[in-house]
Amino acid sequence: MKRRNFVRLASAAGITAVAFPLFQCKSKPADQGKKAPTAFALAEMTVAQMQEQMTKGTLSSHSITKHYLDQIASLDQNGPKINAVIEINPDALAIADAMDAERKNGKVRGPMHGIPVLIKDNIDTKDKMQTTAGSIALAGNFASLDAFVVKKMREAGAVILGKTNMSEWANFRSTRSASGWSSRGGQTKNPYILDRSPCGSSSGSGAAVAANLCAVAVGTETNGSIACPAAMNGVVGIKPTVGLVSRSGIIPISATQDTAGPLGRTVADAAALLSAMVGADADDPAKTAIAYENFTDFTASLDANGLNGKRIGIEKDFLKQHEDVDALLKKALDQMKQKGAVIVEVDYMKTQKTDGAESILLQYEFKDGLNKYLSKSNAKIKSLEALIAFNKANAAKAMPYFQQELFEISQAKGDLESKEYKDALTKILNVRNALNALFESEKLDALCGPATGPAWCNDLVNGDFWTGYGGYGPAAISGFPSVTVPMGAVDELPIGISFLGKAFGEADLIRIAFAYEQASKNRKAPRFIETVKA
C-alpha cells in the first residue's frame, strides 16, 4: 500500500482492493508499436555485459554514458516523453572519462566501475544538481555534501547520470496524490502503457530502468516505494533491511521505515548496485551491530538452484483476488516447486495490521526528520511549518491538483516523546516480532505474494486507485528486506512478485529471487503503447 493512503484508510495496513472508475484512461484502441523506439545498442544490456565489453575495449564508460544520455533525449524528453528524469548531471561524461582513464591505467574499482546510475531526487549530491523531492519549494537546494550512499557509489566507480522524477515528497503530502507527479517534474509515465501509473514514489527510477534510460537506478522506500514501481514497470527492486544502507543525506519520512535501494532489469544488476551502496554510517540512527563486512558482494548469492529445499510462505488470500493475477501467481508457484521449493500457505498479511499506528508513526517521524533535514540544508525553506506556508502562497504552481493535508496533520503533532508516538512505535515493533514468530513456527526461508495488481490510470483529479495485494507491506512496516521480480503481465501491464525475508537476510533472499527469475524469465522490454487495447 502506498503512503498517501495512510490517513485515508483507518489502518495503514489495510490492503482491501477497492473498485473505482478509471477516469483518465483513453478509450481508443492501443497504438501498437508506432511509438516503439528504433533499435538501441545497449537495450537490455546487463551490468556484467557492460563490464565485459569495457574490458575488451569495445565499449567505454564514455560511450555507454553517451548512449544513455541520447536515450534520455530520445525517449524521456521527446518521443513517448516518459518524463522519468528530472535533471541531467552536467558532469556525467567527465566522470565517465575519469573512470575510463583509471581502467586504462589498470585500476577497476569493482562491478559498478564506469556504470551510469540514475538516483531519486530526494537524495543529496554534492554537484551541480539540485535535491528537491520533486517540489518547487526546494528549488535551488544544492547539497554541501553527498548523501552517504552517493559517496559509497562514487567510491565504487559509478557514474551519477542524473536524478529521477518522483511522487512529490515521496507521496507524503496528500491523501489524494497521483504517483509519479511532482510540481517540479510533472507526471512520469509508465513505459509499458503510457496512460497508466508508474506507481511511486520511486516512479522515475522504476520507469527509467524499464525504458533503458540507465543501467540501474536508486530509489527509496518507506512502504512500497521501491517494490510498487519495480512491479508496475517490470523491473527488479530490492528494499533492504532498514540499517543496511545509510539514510544520511536523504530527505526523510520515517526513521523507523525509510531505506534506499536499487532497481535494475535483472536481479544480478540490482545485487551489484546494492553491493556498492552498503556501508556502516555512524551518522545514521539505524546503525546496528551487524558486521557490515558480511555484505560486501551480494552477487555471490546469484545461484540458479537457490530455490531448492527452500520453504516459501504464500498468503492464502492472494489466491483468489484477480483471475489474471491468480493465473500468474499459480504459474510462479508451480515454477518454484519445479525448482525444489516447498510452498506453504500461511496468513502473513495479518502481521501488518497496526490499527492505524503506522500512519501515526509516520506523521510524527516525518515532522521530526524533515525539520532536521531542512534546518541543515541549503534550501530556503527551513521547516515543515515554512513549507506549508510556501505551498499556500504558491498554491497555483505547488498544489494545482491536490493539497497538503498530510503536512498539516504532521505539523500538528508533538515531538517523539509523545505517548501517542511511543505507543505507535511499540505496535510497529510488534510487527517485527510477529513476522519473526511466523518465520520460526513455519520454518520459512521467505514469504511471497503479488506486489500489486495491474497499474491503474494516471488521474491527477482523483489521485491513485489502489488495485490490491501489496505483498511487500509487512516487510516495509517491519523494516525487513524484500525483493520484487517480474511475474508476468496482464494486458501488457507488468505484475511483480515480492519475496520477503528476515532482517539482514538479503543474501538468502537474493538467492531465492534470482533462482525464480532464471526459472521464469518474465522480463520484457516496454513497447511504449499509448493505452490498453479496447
Side-chain angles (χ1 to χ4, degrees), residues 68 72 76-77 82-89 116-125 127 129-135 150 153 159-170 179-189 198-221 225-226 229 233 235 250-251 260-265 273:
Y68 283 127
I72 291 169
D76 203 60
Q77 299 168 352
I82 302 303
N83 203 32
V85 182
I86 201 168
E87 190 167 3
I88 292 292
N89 184 0
V117 180
L118 285 169
I119 64 174
K120 192 174 177 181
D121 184 41
N122 60 348
I123 302 174
D124 284 345
T125 53
D127 52 26
M129 294 188 292
Q130 304 169 73
T131 303
T132 70
S135 172
V150 174
M153 288 188 288
V159 176
I160 307 301
L161 186 63
K163 292 196 174 182
T164 55
N165 196 20
M166 57 184 284
S167 309
E168 184 174 310
W169 295 107
S179 285
W181 181 89
S182 71
S183 58
R184 180 179 169 221
Q187 179 65 55
T188 297
K189 299 176 185 176
C199 203
S201 61
S202 304
S203 312
S205 296
V209 170
N212 281 271
L213 305 181
C214 59
V216 284
V218 177
T220 63
E221 175 167 324
S225 284
I226 291 173
N233 291 284
V235 298
I250 300 177
I251 297 175
L263 294 106
R265 287 180 289 276
L273 180 54

Side-chain angles (χ1 to χ4, degrees), residues 201-500:
S201 61
S202 304
S203 312
S205 296
V209 170
N212 281 271
L213 305 181
C214 59
V216 284
V218 177
T220 63
E221 175 167 324
T222 304
N223 192 328
S225 284
I226 291 173
C228 189
M232 287 193 180
N233 291 284
V235 298
V236 175
I238 300 177
K239 197 285 290 187
T241 307
V242 172
L244 183 67
V245 174
S246 168
R247 288 89 52 80
S248 296
I250 300 177
I251 297 175
I253 288 180
S254 168
T256 300
Q257 294 182 203
D258 286 351
T259 184
L263 294 106
R265 287 180 289 276
T266 67
V267 174
D269 285 357
L273 180 54
L274 179 61
S275 299
M277 296 170 67
V278 169
D281 177 12
D283 293 329
D284 187 337
K287 62 184 180 291
T288 70
I290 296 294
Y292 279 84
E293 60 267 23
N294 292 337
F295 303 103
T296 55
D297 184 11
F298 289 104
T299 63
S301 295
L302 303 177
D303 180 3
N305 295 314
L307 279 164
N308 190 36
K310 297 295 189 295
R311 288 175 61 85
I312 312 293
I314 176 68
E315 170 65 42
K316 302 172 188 176
D317 289 343
F318 284 162
L319 301 170
K320 50 187 177 183
Q321 290 194 27
H322 185 295
E323 64 277 8
D324 292 328
V325 179
D326 290 348
L328 294 176
L329 180 57
K330 183 179 183 304
K331 181 180 179 181
L333 297 177
D334 287 343
Q335 289 169 328
M336 285 186 257
K337 290 176 184 176
Q338 290 167 11
K339 288 297 179 179
V342 176
I343 304 300
V344 183
E345 286 192 16
V346 294
D347 187 8
Y348 83 82
M349 292 299 286
K350 70 180 181 181
T351 62
Q352 69 170 354
K353 293 181 179 178
T354 64
D355 298 323
E358 188 186 12
S359 296
I360 294 169
L361 178 99
L362 301 192
Q363 291 156 16
Y364 276 94
E365 292 189 347
F366 177 70
K367 178 183 178 180
D368 179 76
L370 186 64
N371 281 338
K372 288 176 180 175
Y373 173 87
L374 291 175
S375 68
K376 297 177 182 178
S377 76
N378 292 326
K380 294 178 181 178
I381 304 294
K382 293 297 183 182
S383 68
L384 176 57
E385 183 178 22
L387 175 59
I388 292 170
F390 175 93
N391 285 341
K392 288 180 178 179
N394 298 274
K397 292 182 178 180
M399 303 189 297
Y401 302 113
F402 48 86
Q403 299 301 301
Q404 56 179 344
E405 60 271 26
L406 291 184
F407 281 5
E408 292 164 351
I409 292 169
S410 296
Q411 177 60 26
K413 295 297 183 184
D415 60 26
L416 300 189
E417 293 301 315
S418 302
K419 182 179 185 301
E420 184 184 39
Y421 169 73
K422 291 183 176 181
D423 289 346
L425 180 59
T426 297
K427 291 181 179 179
I428 295 301
L429 296 178
N430 285 340
V431 175
R432 300 179 187 179
N433 297 334
L435 274 176
N436 280 327
L438 180 60
F439 275 112
E440 181 66 26
S441 65
E442 298 291 344
K443 301 190 183 326
L444 299 174
D445 296 287
L447 296 160
C448 76
T452 63
W456 51 86
C457 299
N458 285 320
D459 191 337
L460 292 172
V461 175
N462 298 285
D464 290 342
F465 304 102
W466 179 238
T467 55
Y469 298 101
Y472 50 75
I477 296 171
S478 65
F480 290 1
S482 69
V483 180
T484 301
V485 182
M487 189 172 68
V490 174
D491 288 331
E492 302 215 31
L493 292 166
I495 305 293
I497 185 169
S498 290
F499 294 93
L500 287 60

Side-chain angles (χ1 to χ4, degrees), residues 16-78:
T16 303
V18 180
F20 291 101
L22 304 182
F23 293 102
Q24 297 298 314
C25 278
K26 303 179 189 301
S27 58
K28 61 183 179 180
D31 185 356
Q32 297 286 347
K34 288 185 180 180
K35 291 186 180 292
T38 55
F40 171 44
L42 304 184
E44 300 295 295
M45 187 175 285
T46 67
V47 168
Q49 288 169 338
M50 290 178 198
Q51 288 295 347
E52 182 181 2
Q53 294 298 312
M54 285 191 286
T55 299
K56 291 179 179 178
T58 52
L59 285 175
S60 65
S61 180
H62 183 105
S63 66
I64 292 171
T65 302
K66 181 63 165 60
H67 270 300
Y68 283 127
L69 290 172
D70 290 345
Q71 282 300 98
I72 291 169
S74 174
L75 297 177
D76 203 60
Q77 299 168 352
N78 295 285

